[in-house]
Amino acid sequence: MLKFLVKGILRDHHRSRFPILIVSAGVMLTVLIHCWVSGVLGEMIDTSAAFATGHVKIMSRAYAENEGQIPNDLALSGVGSLVSELNQDYPDMTWVERIKFGGLLDVPDSNGETRSQGPVMGIAVQLFSENSGEVERLNIEKSIVKGRMPRQPGEVLISDQFAEKLDVSPGDQVTLMSSTMYGGMAMQNYIVVGTISFGVVAMDRSAMIMDFTDAQIVLDMTDSAGEILGYFENNIYSDERARRMVAAFNMKYEPDTDEFAPIMLRLGEQNGLDSMLEYISSFIGMFILIFVAAMSIVLWNAALIGGLRRYGEVGLRLAIGENKGHVYSSMLLESVFIGCVGSVIGTVIGLGISYYLQTVGFDISDSLQNVTMMIPSVFRAHVTAQAYYIGFIPGLFSTVLGTALAGIGIYRRNTARLFKELEV
Amino acid sequence: MQNSKIILTEELVKRFPVGGGYFTALNKINLSFGKGEFAGLVGPSGSGKTTLLNIIGSLDYPSEGKAIVMDQSIGDLTHRQAARLRNKYLGFIFQTYNLLPVYTVYENVEFPLLLLDTTTTERHRAVLDAVEWVGLTDKLKSRPGQLSGGESQRVAIARAMVKKPEVVLADEPTANLDAANSHHILQTMEKLNRELQTTFIFATHDEKVIQYLRRKISLEDGTVVNDENLGNEK
């Protein structure tokens, strides 16, 4: 009997190919949408954490209040001992000091006169410290478009777009004009050894990357830093742990009323990221829920119609002497088969496209010309463990449910009525 | 043979709910059929012949009275028992053939046997015999879409006969066929009735069928108005 039913499924395209196509398409879309939104959300968090917020960030209270202005005159002092203390208290975490600064970058001609100049957004990181992991975290080496990594003090990288705008090539000398921590004028020559493209619009527009010690010297920030960023082990953010850490750290410094006393903020507390992530998460959650529900209804309906279409065949089988339970269970078995095959095919195709979008990504930099947030300019899908089974919810569950509901008619209808509906 | 009653109805009534009331499709039917009969329920549309055929075929239940088929009271059967009765003792032939289009002639005929406890060899032998009875041995691998109306109905007969049932119920079996094919079909059924002693009960108003019947039961508005032996001896 099973062989007979399988033959029927394989030969009747309305029972096999068409439902499998519908299930596959629905499952493929579900997997793809899931991977895409997971990727976009994850990439936004990772990018933000790497470039701006860390998983937790320590600043002076005054700096934190005016962070948008990058007020280096309010920077943290005595960061050496603070970092040692942090390393002792949280040995599994990585702590890095950074200085952000604004200024003007001047490009001289052969006579030393200004050839071109433009406002620069500088970021000083520990380029020469192997333990900091900053080069890897910011993916600096792989983001170099022309030239090479800085190897010694006095060498910097600038963003490729900025280099094109200023007509600067690797090997050219540039002059940074900025202000020191104490409000004096800072001016220093550097050699541009490479150009870089991060794929983050706000950084690629006019960034300059230099070594942290170089920045301390030029900005007169000895043993000071604008911010200390902390990263969890394996770079995996845990909001729960971050909340605990922040509460403990801030409680420790609570009695200190100095505005230069350190304060720790977790990732979500910065740049309105919490509310944005909450908004995006609930939007995505709802979107996925609605999408899965919609796909479920589509597949349920397809199975329902498929089941109703076969009332004639059911009538014939009952007339020939098959009992209702056997007919019903064989219909369910068939829908499990269709659901499984469709879900597997849909999941494989969905994962394939998602892997492609994870590797290649989707470039939206043209639409982000004036964006100042740390948003990646190339969005990528992210294939999660959930992606391997989420498609089975609409694919298998809904298909079987639809068939089960359609099949109830076998029991509710009079056999003679089913018999009359014979139109096979 | 014809004296052993395999089908019996006593004061059989069937009502269907219509609107707020009931429509009486069969009203106090008393009939019996013996083994090997070749009988027809004859009457205009709405006279109750298909309803009576459905009850005899255990596809429907009586509202009142009794219908006993192969010593089993239809009204008392569960779905499972009714299915077993149909499976074991009854065969159906329909006006529209109702062959499963994705299966070959062989597979369509084999289908009823899959529900019985038979071996592959027994099934193979039985299918070949049934197809031979209706003269379609050369069409074993054809699908219903490749057959003419007459051939399709012959496959339907083979499917009904393959398990050698006690009774074959045929509802307007010639309604979709031309005269030549109708006669061919009826001759086939008559031959099977004669050779296998299978009881055939038709629901029809086709004169071509009536001329082959040995017993004609006329129905009108759910009651038997005439039950006559036509004397078409075997």
Side-chain angles (χ1 to χ4, degrees):
Chain A
M1 190 65 178
L2 191 65
K3 196 175 153 192
F4 185 83
L5 291 173
V6 170
K7 267 186 201 169
I9 294 171
L10 296 178
R11 289 180 194 168
D12 185 353
H13 296 165
H14 292 286
R15 277 165 70 189
S16 53
R17 193 182 299 172
F18 187 57
I20 285 175
L21 273 177
I22 292 179
V23 174
S24 301
V27 169
M28 185 267 286
L29 282 173
T30 306
V31 172
L32 188 57
I33 294 283
H34 170 80
C35 291
W36 178 250
V37 291
S38 301
V40 169
L41 185 61
E43 198 128 348
M44 283 176 78
I45 293 172
D46 290 347
T47 304
S48 209
F51 284 95
T53 64
H55 291 148
V56 292
K57 181 154 86 176
I58 299 167
M59 298 165 278
S60 72
R61 286 175 189 160
Y63 186 101
E65 274 179 30
N66 301 284
E67 195 189 350
Q69 297 169 29
I70 320 175
N72 281 331
D73 53 329
L74 305 174
L76 275 172
S77 295
V79 291
S81 58
L82 182 56
V83 169
S84 302
E85 199 180 307
L86 289 166
N87 280 328
Q88 208 167 1
D89 292 347
Y90 309 103
D92 59 327
M93 289 189 68
T94 306
W95 299 95
V96 294
E97 300 142 280
R98 283 191 193 167
I99 296 172
K100 286 180 194 160
F101 56 92
L104 195 68
L105 200 66
D106 186 273
V107 184
D109 60 14
S110 54
N111 300 320
E113 302 291 335
T114 298
R115 174 160 61 89
S116 59
Q117 61 178 207
V120 65
M121 190 185 86
I123 178 165
V125 298
Q126 291 160 353
L127 287 178
F128 308 131
S129 157
E130 285 179 10
N131 297 331
S132 73
E134 289 281 76
V135 173
E136 293 77 25
R137 183 171 300 114
L138 298 174
N139 199 26
I140 294 174
E141 201 156 4
K142 287 181 183 165
S143 303
I144 289 178
V145 180
K146 291 176 205 152
R148 58 166 174 82
M149 280 288 290
R151 289 177 192 147
Q152 57 189 9
E155 292 184 344
V156 297
L157 298 167
I158 64 171
S159 74
D160 198 55
Q161 272 182 35
F162 195 36
E164 266 186 38
K165 187 176 153 192
L166 299 180
D167 192 21
V168 172
S169 303
D172 288 355
Q173 189 184 72
V174 293
T175 305
L176 170 71
M177 287 175 268
S178 185
S179 62
T180 68
M181 185 175 172
Y182 303 102
M185 186 162 184
M187 193 179 294
Q188 183 70 45
N189 290 334
Y190 295 98
I191 301 294
V192 175
V193 292
T195 66
I196 193 164
S197 176
F198 287 109
V200 176
V201 177
M203 294 290 293
D204 286 339
R205 203 173 294 135
S206 57
M208 177 184 192
I209 309 289
M210 68 163 63
D211 180 54
F212 181 72
T213 310
D214 269 356
Q216 277 186 317
I217 293 167
V218 71
L219 301 175
D220 205 2
M221 292 178 72
T222 309
D223 200 27
S224 300
E227 46 202 47
I228 299 169
L229 274 58
Y231 292 94
F232 292 130
E233 207 174 7
N234 299 325
N235 210 28
I236 296 167
Y237 178 67
S238 159
D239 195 55
E240 199 185 329
R241 189 180 173 203
R243 281 175 193 274
R244 281 202 310 270
M245 277 180 67
V246 166
F249 184 89
N250 291 340
M251 189 180 285
K252 184 176 169 185
Y253 287 94
E254 202 176 9
D256 191 343
T257 53
D258 188 354
E259 65 173 347
F260 288 94
I263 183 170
M264 185 187 278
L265 299 176
R266 63 188 169 80
L267 181 146
E269 287 174 311
Q270 302 169 58
N271 305 339
L273 219 57
D274 245 356
S275 51
M276 192 177 84
L277 288 180
E278 199 176 316
Y279 174 75
I280 293 174
S281 294
S282 54
F283 174 77
I284 286 172
M286 193 160 308
F287 181 77
I288 289 180
L289 192 73
I290 290 171
F291 189 78
V292 169
M295 281 320 303
S296 297
I297 290 168
V298 168
L299 297 179
W300 166 33
N301 208 33
L304 195 64
I305 290 168
L308 295 177
R309 194 181 69 83
R310 294 178 59 199
Y311 269 18
E313 179 196 328
V314 167
L316 175 68
R317 287 166 64 176
L318 293 175
I320 282 173
E322 198 170 347
N323 74 57
K324 290 187 176 190
H326 193 266
V327 174
Y328 190 60
S329 60
S330 75
M331 280 176 77
L332 287 182
L333 193 68
E334 196 173 314
S335 73
V336 168
F337 172 76
I338 298 289
C340 280
V341 172
S343 297
V344 168
I345 293 174
T347 300
V348 167
I349 296 173
L351 287 174
I353 299 173
S354 299
Y355 269 116
Y356 175 77
L357 286 174
Q358 184 172 279
T359 313
V360 176
F362 186 66
D363 193 341
I364 54 160
S365 54
D366 286 345
S367 342
L368 297 172
Q369 290 302 332
N370 298 312
V371 173
T372 54
M373 285 165 64
M374 289 295 171
I375 295 177
S377 58
V378 179
F379 278 123
R380 296 168 200 282
H382 177 53
V383 178
T384 62
Q386 221 182 353
Y388 286 85
Y389 62 81
I390 194 168
F392 282 76
I393 297 170
L396 182 59
F397 179 71
S398 304
T399 306
V400 175
L401 183 68
T403 308
L405 289 175
I408 287 173
I410 296 171
Y411 285 99
R412 293 178 69 97
R413 285 190 183 208
N414 189 301
T415 306
R417 177 164 285 280
L418 283 167
F419 182 66
K420 273 189 175 179
E421 289 173 20
L422 286 173
E423 277 179 16
V424 289
Chain B
M1 271 294 196
Q2 268 178 248
N3 290 330
S4 68
K5 302 299 176 194
I6 55 174
I7 297 167
L8 186 69
T9 68
E10 288 175 0
E11 299 293 299
L12 177 65
V13 175
K14 180 66 185 178
R15 294 191 197 93
F16 292 109
V18 177
Y22 284 93
F23 167 72
T24 305
L26 296 174
N27 192 14
K28 295 183 187 293
I29 303 288
N30 292 295
L31 286 171
S32 63
F33 296 90
K35 188 169 172 60
E37 282 204 39
F38 203 74
L41 305 170
V42 180
S45 293
S47 58
K49 50 190 190 299
T50 298
T51 305
L52 180 55
L53 214 59
N54 283 345
I55 293 174
I56 292 171
S58 75
L59 294 168
D60 211 343
Y61 294 95
S63 305
E64 280 176 29
K66 275 188 175 178
I68 296 167
V69 179
M70 305 305 298
D71 293 328
Q72 297 182 56
S73 173
I74 299 296
D76 299 333
L77 296 179
T78 61
H79 282 304
R80 195 175 283 271
Q81 288 167 332
R84 201 175 301 132
L85 175 72
R86 290 194 294 274
N87 188 12
K88 204 170 172 188
Y89 298 111
L90 305 177
F92 291 87
I93 297 169
F94 315 102
Q95 178 180 332
T96 49
Y97 330 131
N98 295 313
L99 302 177
L100 297 169
V102 295
Y103 294 103
T104 62
V105 166
Y106 182 95
E107 289 159 348
N108 265 285
V109 176
E110 184 191 25
F111 183 41
L113 298 176
L114 295 172
L115 302 169
L116 294 168
D117 193 19
T118 52
T119 64
T120 310
T121 317
E122 285 167 348
R123 277 204 308 274
H124 183 67
R125 187 69 257 157
V127 171
L128 293 183
D129 284 348
V131 173
E132 197 181 330
W133 294 334
V134 296
L136 285 175
T137 309
D138 58 330
K139 301 279 184 183
L140 277 173
K141 289 182 180 171
S142 301
R143 298 230 183 139
Q146 300 166 308
L147 303 176
S148 68
E151 288 170 333
S152 295
Q153 195 60 301
R154 279 149 67 192
V155 176
I157 293 170
R159 182 179 61 190
M161 292 300 300
V162 70
K163 58 187 178 187
K164 295 184 182 164
E166 293 293 330
V167 182
V168 169
L169 303 170
D171 192 0
E172 306 281 10
T174 55
N176 286 350
L177 299 177
D178 58 27
N181 271 312
S182 295
H183 285 296
H184 191 175
I185 292 297
L186 288 159
Q187 282 158 10
T188 304
M189 288 195 270
E190 197 183 38
K191 187 182 90 177
L192 290 169
N193 164 258
R194 206 168 43 240
E195 290 176 4
L196 302 173
Q197 283 295 299
T198 306
T199 301
F200 277 77
I201 302 175
F202 296 86
T204 187
H205 47 49
D206 184 350
E207 282 302 325
K208 296 189 289 294
V209 178
I210 294 168
Q211 73 185 62
Y212 282 85
L213 299 177
R214 291 198 293 277
R215 181 183 172 193
K216 178 181 163 190
I217 301 156
S218 301
L219 292 172
E220 252 182 53
D221 297 330
T223 52
V224 176
V225 292
N226 193 17
D227 185 352
E228 59 182 318
N229 194 323
L230 298 178
N232 294 324
E233 287 306 316
K234 282 191 203 177

